[in-house]
């Protein structure tokens, strides 16, 4: 596949196959817009029915075009696309955008047609964009190769590049963000069904593109999702914020999964895990794109998460405090010397605490803003500043803006502005702020969200530096692989725990008994109380089958229980293959956790952590990461769940052995990678976590082989 | 206090006390804006320094004004406000807005000054608005009595009335909502420190005001919070949506509370409970006000929560589906006949499922929109419709809008539009939709949110009808009141459970023993195993003091345990008053829940429900309602928590006795009302909930008397 996408965005010549003389139709619009936006290369409409289109010479077939265009646009009917793509291949056209719909999104015949296109593209090495897309817009260089209402407008060029799987909605985001949101774009492409160049290919290109500073992706689903982590990390290293909008949270129809881990997983959970793992900012509305984009254009990152708020309206100050604290920032006490300085000019009925309320007194004295801002940015307890100007407008607004711009220029701390005046009544003030790249927002809530996003991203950058020397643990066990080789039925507890043990995950003391006598002997060596569990690949839910007895205190009890669990198992499934009865130590005094592995077809192996029982299953209070993970990532997973205080020592209980738990997660993630060709799903449930220093122990496990 | 607020909003004459000749200052602006917006009554500037202000005759003192104005504005320095207010009293002015700052918000001397104002207002029966506020705007009648930048603009009058405790931010909301959001307002007032007419007084007025259709409140805190429920219910009955924005979520400094219930409560939780209880829509940003306001202006409510989506962009359809499902709506299958109709005109590569994707084919055939809309509104499985038009603009947009307006006029189902074209490029289309009151949104996320708000409100209206005949249970126990009379120390378990039993809440079988012999006798009558618990008002946390022994299986064990728990209790607190040792049945096989009562100084008694242990304490997975509650509200509380599936029969367990649990909540709420003068906090922790039909039982309880 082609990766020199510079040529795609800046084609020297473009062929338009199926160009229509009716410039209002879909097949007429691309030529119209290329012309109207001043495309500087050569245009070759191709259509046997016309000698010319919109004053441009038209060719009967692509073969007749006198040079090899860098890009061809295919606008013909679905049934004729394959033939046109073949002609592009014959002509050695490097990039082709297929606009036509009616392929895999239609099902049936469309799927077959799409497969044919994929094969042709591969055969000829064509970089295909689409099918079922709306084209491309290179705003910086004036290449408008697409259709749709938003192509009518001119756009100010800027540093934001975007790729969207949705055509209609993607271009709406560009249009509103750029025009109403004041966030200027550089390049935008829609990828539709993505049989060739993918969303991640384009993001990779934007990471390398020197003039792209901020990257936006809108996705419904990635076929190469596993790459997300790598691409995200690359964007982070390049210091280009990557904003991703993933839709389709409510996908139904996941295949029935047997393990809890697989039930709790699913695509959206893994997307979010990948975003978090690689510092990708998740966005959830058009306004987020605008707000975060403005934030990042300031070119500053706070050194910590401590925010000071200056306001002329108490109400808005409270609001922003709420929003920022809810999103993980601090609104700390100011240094004592700051309070003293402020006392010199803030009115007595204002507030010298954080938020600093300078009150409507600024109507009478605009100097107040500059003085206060200076005092605040000088405060060592403050990493970033938000200033709230309510609806100040006109001349007063301009005076205030002048002071803000001057104050912000004397610090490298981010200064954000919440200013609720309408654009029309404070144009001069707003122009000054925009020129100085000082992010501004009409709502304190939006301002707070954007600041928190900037602060989170700054923390991701610091985390990247802290973790730069960490390497994931790699483990390999030929024995485990052999054990799972060719398995199709569920692997029962004892065997599954032998696999865990291969990777250094502690498991209960236990042994498999084939007779009651063996069971007695094993129990004696382990010591009472013990548990008995029938092992069968055909009985995954042993408790449901009543094939388990816990807390057996004596040899008499054991003998009776042995017969009982076996006969229950047979009653549950008379054809079940019985491997034996597991005799196992009983565990006391641990917190029950659940660990798991899911091996997603798109993302590959991932690990899950949660607390046991209904915490995981009902409350879905679990964390996921793509495998492998380092110890610091494992700790992050542990601390991330809402129930974490139960491990950290809530309710007067001792702190649990969080380090040993993290180590078990690391090892499980190494297992997941090593066995990724063998394991479909894996549950360790429960994993007992003992008090600090006492480790963890897997008390039950289930492996479902990869199909 | 005055309640004829019609006179406040429509004063026949206004005195402006402290009017300045400098019209740019705070004390100069009100006169300027009253004049510039064409106030039709008489204006009386009062200032001994000027013969006239802005061409209006000025009076040296209020006494000199030749009539009694309906409204006076006080704009003088804080130290002189009391004197001016007294003069208003002497003149018998019914309403006074005090703009001046420097009162309770400043602390110290300001608090004293404010108390003085309160006393004067009460003495003279003046309806005071403020102090520390920004005044009032009656847009419909052109009375602009306030200051601030937003007073410069003219506003289109409409049906939305608002009251805000914040001046600066409140008017920003009005300004942006009205001007940029297209949501026209009728009246707006800011109440500042609220020593007189309160937010809820104004809301009550708006409920009665015939021309107000939608009410918005912005609050930081209510001094008369308990009234919220009553006012909310009145608004619901009047079919006027009440949108409330409560800020101050992160209030610190709650008093240390001993019970879990009080710890989990706090103002914000109770505000949210009151909102939910009375159908008040909570808003959280300016955009919510605009979006919900537009939704309600359509004047239609869906009969159910089933949404059909029609889209020309697949991506936006997915997005709206996500948003609506996450907010409790359904996006159901369409009726078979609808699919058949659609097949007649939707292109084969579109989607006939819900969302219906008619694709960009509408570029070539705009009829598609009208045909599809008609088929969808005719579908009996559909309660409301959202149509997504991406960025369609210009002439095409106008054609599409024409069809939408026609289609919407032929149904009473709400039809919402998501249309991402900028205002400037689809003015004709948008004007048509606005004229027909068809709500439109630029983002599918915002459109989905607004639809879900409308749907929630419609459900609240249905709930109100369903519950109209429900009466809360009223219980009264003289014995319980006597038992708590004069108590200051914590009431220990046994006594607290006697109180519960008075209200019909089942408690464990138990008896207080004064000697080991008594304990043995009680245990025999209850039957082993039993629990022993030392009872002392000085030991609230018995487990921490090791003054509890569970699962005592025999009389030998009991004798030893009796001595042990007593000596542990004495070791824990040697001065503890020991009431005896409680001998109690052991409970098995129940789900542990926690019930509680908190008696908030603002809201009065409220009840809490959650699951036991870390569910409530760590995950804060609890629900609150103001007391009393009916059985249907109690069921709502139970079903609301995330852990509800654990009661409903998750993990193959039997369904718990939810009805008995609801009955216990109802009875606890009746207790909370009956004992509201005696109880500060109450925990029932745990309350065991047994399997269906087997009831509940309180196993421990703690009452903290009201201070």
């Amino acid at each position: 596949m082609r990766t020199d996408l510079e040529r795609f965005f800046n084609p020297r010549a473009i062929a338009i196959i199926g160009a229509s003389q009716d410039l209002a139709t879909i097949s007429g619009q691309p030529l119209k817009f290329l012309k109207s936006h001043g495309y500087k290369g050569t245009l070759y409409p191709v259509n046997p029915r016309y000698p010319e289109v919109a004053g441009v010479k038209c060719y009967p077939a692509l073969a007749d075009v006198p040079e090899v265009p860098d890009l061809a646009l295919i606008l013909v009917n679905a049934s004729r696309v394959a033939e046109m793509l073949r002609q592009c291949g014959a002509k050695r056209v490097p990039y082709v955008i297929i606009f036509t719909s009616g392929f895999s999104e239609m099902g049936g015949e469309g799927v077959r047609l799409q497969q044919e296109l994929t094969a042709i593209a591969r055969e000829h090495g064509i970089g295909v964009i689409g099918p079922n897309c709306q084209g491309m817009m290179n705003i910086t260089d004036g290449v408008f190769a697409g259709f749709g209402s938003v192509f009518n407008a001119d756009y100010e060029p800027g540093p934001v590049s975007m790729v969207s799987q949705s055509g209609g909605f993607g271009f709406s985001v560009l249009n509103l963000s750029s025009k109403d949101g004041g966030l200027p774009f550089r390049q935008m492409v829609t990828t539709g069904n993505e049989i060739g160049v993918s969303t991640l290919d384009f993001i990779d290109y934007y990471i390398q593109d020197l003039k792209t500073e901020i990257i936006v992706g809108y996705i419904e689903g990635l076929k190469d999702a596993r790459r997300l982590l790598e691409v995200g990390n690359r964007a982070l290293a390049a210091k280009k914020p990557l904003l991703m909008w993933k839709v389709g949270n409510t996908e139904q129809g996941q295949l029935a999964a047997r393990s809890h881990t697989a039930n709790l997983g699913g695509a959206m959970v893994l997307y979010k895990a990948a975003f978090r793992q690689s510092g990708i900012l998740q966005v959830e509305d058009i306004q987020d794109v605008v707000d975060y984009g403005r934030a990042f254009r300031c070119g500053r990152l706070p050194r910590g998460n401590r925010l000071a708020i200056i306001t002329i309206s108490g109400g808005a100050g409270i609001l922003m405090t709420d929003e920022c604290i809810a999103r993980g920032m601090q609104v700390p006490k100011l240094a004592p010397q700051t309070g003293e300085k402020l006392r010199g000019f803030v009115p007595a009925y204002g507030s010298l605490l954080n938020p600093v309320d300078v009150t409507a007194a600024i109507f009478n004295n605009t100097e107040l803003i500059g003085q206060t801002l200076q005092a605040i940015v000088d405060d060592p307890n403050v990493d970033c500043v938000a200033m709230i100007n309510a609806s100040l407008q006109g001349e007063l607004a301009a005076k205030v803006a002048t002071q803000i711009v001057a104050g912000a220029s004397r610090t490298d701390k981010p200064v954000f502005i919440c200013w609720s005046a309408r654009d029309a009544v404070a144009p001069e003030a707003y122009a000054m702020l925009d020129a100085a790249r000082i992010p501004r927002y009409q709502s304190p809530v939006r301002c707070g969200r954007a600041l928190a996003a900037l602060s989170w991203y700054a923390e991701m950058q610091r985390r990247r530096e802290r973790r730069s020397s960490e390497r994931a643990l790699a483990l390999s066990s030929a024995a485990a692989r052999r054990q799972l080789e060719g398995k199709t039925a569920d692997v029962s507890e004892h065997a599954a725990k032998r696999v865990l043990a291969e990777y250094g995950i502690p498991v209960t003391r236990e042994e498999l008994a084939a007779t009651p006598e063996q069971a007695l002997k094993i129990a004696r060596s382990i010591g009472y109380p013990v548990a008995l569990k029938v092992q069968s690949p055909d009985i995954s839910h042993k408790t449901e089958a009543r094939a388990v007895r816990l807390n057996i205190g004596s040899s008499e009890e054991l003998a009776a229980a042995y017969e009982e669990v076996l006969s229950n198992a047979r009653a549950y499934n008379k054809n079940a293959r019985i491997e034996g009865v597991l005799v196992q130590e009983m565990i006391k005094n641990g917190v029950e956790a659940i660990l798991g592995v899911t091996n997603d077809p798109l993302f590959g192996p991932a690990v899950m952590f949660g607390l046991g029982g209904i915490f995981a299953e009902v409350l879905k209070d679990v964390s996921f990461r793509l495998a492998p993970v380092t110890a610091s990532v494992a700790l992050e997973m542990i601390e991330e769940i809402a129930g974490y205080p139960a491990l950290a020592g809530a309710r007067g209980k001792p702190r649990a052995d969080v380090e040993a738990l993290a180590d078990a997660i690391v090892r499980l993630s190494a297992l997941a990678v090593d066995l990724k060709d063998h394991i479909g799903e894996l549950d360790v449930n429960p994993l007992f976590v003992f008090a600090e220093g006492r480790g963890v122990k897997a008390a039950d496990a289930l492996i479902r082989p990869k199909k």
Side-chain angles (χ1 to χ4, degrees), chain A:
Chain A
M1 169 126 61
R2 323 278 320 197
T3 54
D4 54 341
L5 289 164
E6 164 66 16
R7 201 161 162 199
F8 166 74
F9 282 111
N10 268 305
R12 288 158 298 190
I14 303 176
I16 302 160
I17 301 171
S20 165
Q21 277 187 336
D22 180 350
L23 300 184
T25 63
I26 291 174
S27 45
Q29 290 184 42
L31 178 63
K32 174 177 79 172
F33 290 129
L34 280 162
K35 282 189 67 181
S36 67
H37 289 284
Y39 173 62
K40 294 190 183 63
T42 317
L43 292 169
Y44 298 107
V46 176
N47 194 329
R49 288 192 286 166
Y50 311 124
E52 60 84 31
V53 177
V56 181
K57 176 177 164 53
C58 186
Y59 296 81
L62 183 62
D64 305 318
V65 167
E67 65 173 311
V68 178
D70 286 337
L71 175 63
L73 315 182
I74 295 184
L75 293 151
V76 299
N77 205 285
S79 62
R80 295 179 51 237
V81 171
E83 175 50 29
M84 295 301 127
L85 190 59
R86 266 195 208 95
Q87 293 183 11
C88 290
K91 186 88 178 178
R92 311 195 72 78
V93 178
Y95 290 106
V96 175
I97 303 178
I98 304 175
F99 291 79
T100 317
S101 297
F103 296 94
S104 69
E105 79 279 11
M106 191 174 81
E109 173 65 6
V111 175
R112 201 201 54 73
L113 276 176
Q114 181 164 315
Q115 283 163 350
E116 193 185 343
L117 299 188
T118 310
I120 298 167
R122 194 165 298 146
E123 186 193 333
H124 295 278
I126 307 169
V128 170
I129 290 85
N132 187 26
C133 74
Q134 252 179 269
M136 171 265 277
M137 216 185 251
N138 176 351
I139 292 165
T140 311
D141 302 296
V143 186
F144 280 54
F147 73 90
S149 301
V150 305
F151 280 77
N152 284 296
D154 286 314
Y155 298 90
E156 183 199 344
V160 182
S161 289
M162 177 168 176
V163 51
S164 169
Q165 291 184 333
S166 168
F169 189 63
F171 277 117
S172 298
V173 172
L174 165 99
N175 181 255
L176 290 170
S177 300
S178 176
K179 287 292 188 183
D180 292 347
L183 185 71
F185 280 64
R186 170 165 165 72
Q187 293 170 339
M188 159 102 194
V189 62
T190 63
T191 56
N193 299 3
E194 282 194 15
I195 66 164
V197 191
S198 74
T199 294
L200 294 182
D201 291 331
F202 279 109
I203 292 178
D204 247 340
Y205 169 73
Y206 291 144
I207 292 171
Q208 295 157 40
D209 173 45
L210 291 177
K211 290 187 182 156
T212 293
E213 292 167 18
I214 297 167
I215 304 168
V216 181
Y218 177 94
I219 55 175
E220 289 161 15
L222 298 177
K223 289 172 195 153
D224 48 356
R226 179 86 193 170
R227 273 176 67 199
L228 195 51
L229 209 58
E230 174 196 322
V231 170
N233 281 321
R234 208 153 38 230
L236 201 60
K239 304 218 158 58
K240 298 193 180 181
L242 172 53
L243 318 185
M244 290 285 269
W245 193 348
K246 163 76 176 84
V247 300
N249 300 337
T250 43
E251 292 161 298
Q252 301 295 325
Q254 264 196 59
L255 291 177
R258 194 166 298 182
S259 69
H260 297 304
T261 308
N263 269 318
L264 289 162
M268 195 63 194
V269 166
L270 296 178
Y271 276 102
K272 285 188 178 172
F275 293 165
R276 200 168 299 174
Q277 220 163 333
S278 59
I280 295 173
L281 292 123
Q282 202 188 345
V283 291
E284 293 171 326
D285 201 353
I286 302 171
Q287 199 59 45
D288 285 346
V289 174
V290 173
D291 292 348
Y292 296 3
R294 285 182 173 202
F296 286 109
R297 283 198 81 199
C298 83
R300 302 176 181 190
L301 289 181
R303 269 182 287 276
N305 70 347
R306 298 167 309 169
L307 169 68
I309 300 170
I310 305 168
T311 182
I312 68 165
S313 153
I318 296 171
L319 200 47
M320 193 180 292
T321 305
D322 283 358
E323 190 68 26
C324 289
I325 288 178
R327 291 176 178 271
M329 299 191 76
Q330 295 181 65
V331 182
K333 278 192 185 167
L334 300 175
Q337 67 270 27
T338 307
E340 279 164 38
K341 286 185 211 164
L342 294 174
R343 194 165 296 123
F345 40 84
V346 173
Y349 51 87
S351 168
L352 308 183
L353 302 174
N354 189 5
V356 177
D357 187 352
V358 298
T359 80
I362 63 116
F363 277 101
N364 304 334
N365 170 20
T366 52
E367 296 292 306
L368 212 64
I369 293 290
Q371 292 168 311
T372 306
L373 181 56
Q374 190 61 52
I376 296 297
V377 298
D378 288 344
D379 189 308
N381 290 353
V382 170
D383 300 310
C384 50
V385 183
M387 175 167 269
I388 303 173
N389 289 333
S391 297
L392 294 183
Q393 64 181 56
E395 206 179 315
L396 181 63
K399 279 187 200 164
V400 167
T402 307
Q403 294 190 41
I404 292 171
V405 170
S409 74
R410 287 192 294 268
T411 176
D412 62 354
K413 296 178 183 178
V415 176
F416 276 48
I417 309 296
C418 172
W419 203 322
S420 305
R422 299 176 51 236
D423 288 354
V425 296
E428 200 185 338
Y430 286 173
M432 275 189 263
L433 297 181
D434 292 347
R437 298 265 169 94
I438 296 172
R440 63 180 170 89
Y441 304 87
Q442 282 188 322
S443 137
V445 177
R446 305 300 318 183
C447 184
R449 264 177 91 103
L451 247 170
L454 188 80
S455 176
W456 180 82
Y457 182 75
E459 172 57 26
M460 291 301 105
Q461 286 289 359
R462 291 192 293 272
R463 191 182 73 177
R464 192 180 66 86
E465 279 167 33
R466 279 199 309 275
R467 294 185 182 168
S468 59
S469 60
E470 288 180 13
R471 291 288 167 271
L473 181 68
L475 297 173
S476 174
S477 164
R481 280 195 303 275
R482 260 196 316 278
Q483 199 184 327
L484 295 171
E485 196 72 61
K487 284 271 192 309
T488 53
D490 289 356
V491 178
S492 52
E493 172 177 353
H494 184 53
K497 278 149 100 181
R498 285 215 315 266
V499 172
L500 296 180
E502 278 291 312
Y503 295 86
I505 297 168
V507 300
T508 41
R509 277 181 298 148
E510 62 188 36
E511 217 172 307
L512 204 56
T515 66
E517 295 69 33
Q518 274 186 7
L520 281 168
K521 204 175 140 198
I522 297 165
R524 259 195 305 278
S525 99
I526 290 175
Y528 290 99
V530 295
L532 285 189
K533 300 171 167 181
V534 176
Q535 301 289 292
S536 162
D538 305 311
I539 303 178
S540 301
H541 294 301
K542 299 184 287 280
T543 307
E544 196 182 299
R546 297 191 300 133
V548 168
R549 270 288 298 277
L550 304 178
N551 269 316
I552 296 167
S554 66
S555 50
E556 296 73 45
E557 253 189 89
L558 182 82
Y562 190 93
E563 294 309 327
E564 188 192 320
V565 292
L566 270 182
S567 77
N568 286 345
R570 289 200 192 97
Y572 183 75
N573 178 351
K574 72 178 180 349
N575 299 318
R577 290 160 292 174
I578 308 286
E579 298 165 347
V581 178
L582 193 61
V583 185
Q584 187 175 85
E585 67 169 318
M586 286 298 305
I587 305 276
K588 276 177 280 188
N589 298 326
V591 177
E592 286 189 41
I594 174 170
L595 301 188
V597 171
T598 169
N599 199 352
D600 186 82
L602 295 174
F603 280 98
V607 285
M608 182 197 80
F609 159 72
L611 292 181
I614 73 166
F615 290 97
E617 293 161 46
V618 173
L619 303 181
K620 303 191 191 317
D621 182 23
V622 296
S623 53
F624 275 86
R625 291 290 186 280
L626 304 189
V629 300
T630 61
S632 64
V633 174
L635 280 171
E636 197 179 271
M637 289 176 72
I638 296 167
E639 289 167 8
E640 184 176 302
I641 66 164
Y644 172 65
L647 290 167
R651 307 180 79 200
K653 285 189 181 157
R655 185 169 187 275
D657 199 335
V658 170
E659 289 66 33
L661 175 58
D663 185 59
I665 295 172
V666 166
R667 289 176 179 279
L668 188 68
S669 80
L671 175 157
V673 172
D674 193 41
L675 301 178
K676 67 175 187 294
D677 297 329
H678 303 283
I679 288 186
E681 309 166 24
L682 183 157
D683 268 355
V684 183
N685 184 21
L687 176 90
F688 281 94
V689 187
F690 303 110
E692 199 152 23
R694 290 170 186 271
V696 299
K697 206 172 253 186
D700 200 351
L702 170 74
I703 292 176
R704 199 179 194 188
K706 190 168 174 180
K707 292 297 180 306

